[in-house]
Amino acid sequence: MAYETIKYEVAEQILTITLNRPDKLNAFNAQMQSELIHAFDAADKDDNVRAIIVTGAGRGFCAGADLSSGADTFDRDARRGPVKGLADGKVDYSDPQVRDGGGQVTLRIFKCLKPVIAAVNGPAVGIGVTMQLAMDIRIASDTARFGFVFSQRGIVPEAASSWFLPRIVGISQALEWCYSGRVFPAQEALAGRLVSKVVAPDDLLPTARALATEFCAKTAPVSVALIRQMMWRMMGADDPMEAHKVDSRGIYARGRSDDVKEGVVSFLEKRPAQFKNKVSSDMPDYFPWWTEREYK
């Protein structure tokens, strides 16, 4: 796919996805939605990609939704035509036309099998910040600014952020930011645990790449893929027994794998491990262990 709103660059097993509409502060539109989903699909299929960094071109990360349509920006009927109706005249909310585009992006990132790092280089508001919530780690430049601005636009938080944000920063902090809709600096994001580190602008990508390299250097790709899904999906589990079930399957299946034998023997022989199992072909047979949810 020839990308127009993003850049897709792989170097040393690290994929860097750059939101690339710098003249619009990388504002999010339908094409960017489609291209981001395609990029994460491609990354999961490519065993040479071991970690992903998402950043923005120019001085912004993402200024939120592209508002160039004016008052009709968020009016789906005006922009796409009316959605399906029910016999009683009410809206059929199961119509895929109702689906939030930002949510489709975050759900795709949520399903990703590679670690994802946000390198937030500048303003990140609306979908510009909610898309980051499905990423594993957020590192910010000290020039970055964040805003869950939905209440100030008359809409509500999107991109499944009502699920992600309270789990990351706690319910009180999530509500404070969303109630006010104010834009806040990187240091407040750090204090609120939205980001894990704030660095100088010139240090942002090197810091993100160093972390991504650490994720790749001595680890088994299949183990990392399983760990990512185990951690995220257990955040919604209703009992630790659910984690015990998945842990037990993982220990059993991986315990018989060539990777684990190599991991143990290389440790005993005091040499670097050479893990051969691939995410594209060697995920264990119990994966996925969840039932995929449908939009309806």
Side-chain angles (χ1 to χ4, degrees):
M1 183 174 184
Y3 298 120
E4 296 180 3
T5 67
I6 66 173
K7 292 181 181 177
Y8 185 105
E9 300 166 303
V10 181
E12 298 176 326
Q13 296 190 303
I14 300 168
L15 164 62
T16 301
I17 298 174
T18 305
L19 309 181
N20 191 34
R21 301 183 73 209
D23 56 323
K24 303 287 187 182
L25 282 178
N26 304 317
F28 183 89
N29 61 14
Q31 184 174 357
M32 184 179 287
Q33 171 194 331
S34 176
E35 291 183 2
L36 281 170
I37 291 171
H38 185 278
F40 277 91
D41 286 345
D44 270 353
K45 294 173 184 175
D46 186 353
D47 290 314
N48 188 47
V49 171
R50 296 287 311 280
I52 302 168
I53 296 171
V54 182
T55 193
R59 64 185 184 87
F61 180 82
C62 175
D66 189 330
L67 303 180
S68 59
S69 296
D72 289 338
T73 295
F74 298 106
D75 188 336
R76 297 293 177 82
D77 287 354
R79 295 184 61 194
R80 303 179 183 176
V83 301
K84 294 178 183 177
L86 300 172
D88 61 4
K90 293 181 180 180
V91 173
D92 181 357
Y93 285 102
S94 68
D95 184 348
Q97 284 285 89
V98 174
R99 292 190 67 180
D100 161 45
Q104 293 178 63
V105 171
T106 57
L107 290 174
R108 181 60 191 85
I109 297 171
F110 176 75
K111 296 174 184 177
C112 185
L113 300 177
K114 317 292 172 75
V116 186
I117 301 167
V120 190
N121 56 301
V125 300
I127 183 59
V129 63
T130 56
M131 76 164 69
Q132 299 175 33
L133 301 179
M135 302 178 194
D136 304 310
I137 296 157
R138 289 158 295 282
I139 302 169
S141 159
D142 58 20
T143 61
R145 301 175 75 207
F146 301 83
F148 298 90
V149 297
F150 310 101
S151 63
Q152 294 191 8
R153 303 293 177 268
I155 55 173
V156 297
E158 37 60 271
S161 56
S162 58
W163 190 91
F164 286 104
L165 186 59
R167 286 168 167 78
I168 294 169
V169 305
I171 187 66
S172 294
Q173 183 65 85
L175 288 172
E176 178 190 332
W177 284 336
C178 290
Y179 283 158
S180 69
R182 63 185 174 83
V183 176
F184 52 91
Q187 286 297 336
E188 183 174 338
L190 179 64
R193 302 177 68 180
L194 178 62
V195 303
S196 59
K197 191 175 295 186
V198 175
V199 299
D202 289 346
D203 294 333
L204 180 63
L205 283 177
T207 300
R209 288 193 67 83
L211 190 59
T213 298
E214 187 175 350
F215 294 163
C216 303
K218 299 178 181 180
T219 61
V222 170
S223 293
V224 171
L226 290 170
I227 289 167
R228 186 176 198 273
Q229 290 301 313
M230 288 166 71
M231 292 289 182
W232 274 113
R233 292 183 184 276
M234 285 304 110
M235 291 179 73
D238 63 351
D239 191 280
M241 176 55 78
E242 298 308 309
H244 178 58
K245 293 175 186 175
V246 176
D247 297 350
S248 298
R249 287 160 173 74
I251 292 294
Y252 177 80
R254 293 296 287 158
R256 303 163 64 210
S257 71
D258 291 338
D259 269 1
V260 171
K261 294 168 184 168
E262 169 65 8
V264 172
V265 171
S266 64
F267 175 78
L268 295 175
E269 294 179 351
K270 296 181 171 57
R271 60 172 175 79
Q274 300 294 321
F275 296 114
K276 300 293 179 64
N277 289 167
K278 297 178 179 180
V279 171
S280 64
S281 58
D282 299 314
M283 296 294 282
D285 58 6
Y286 71 88
F287 179 88
W289 60 86
W290 59 89
T291 300
E292 199 65 53
R293 299 290 180 92
E294 296 181 7
Y295 180 84
K296 59 183 179 179

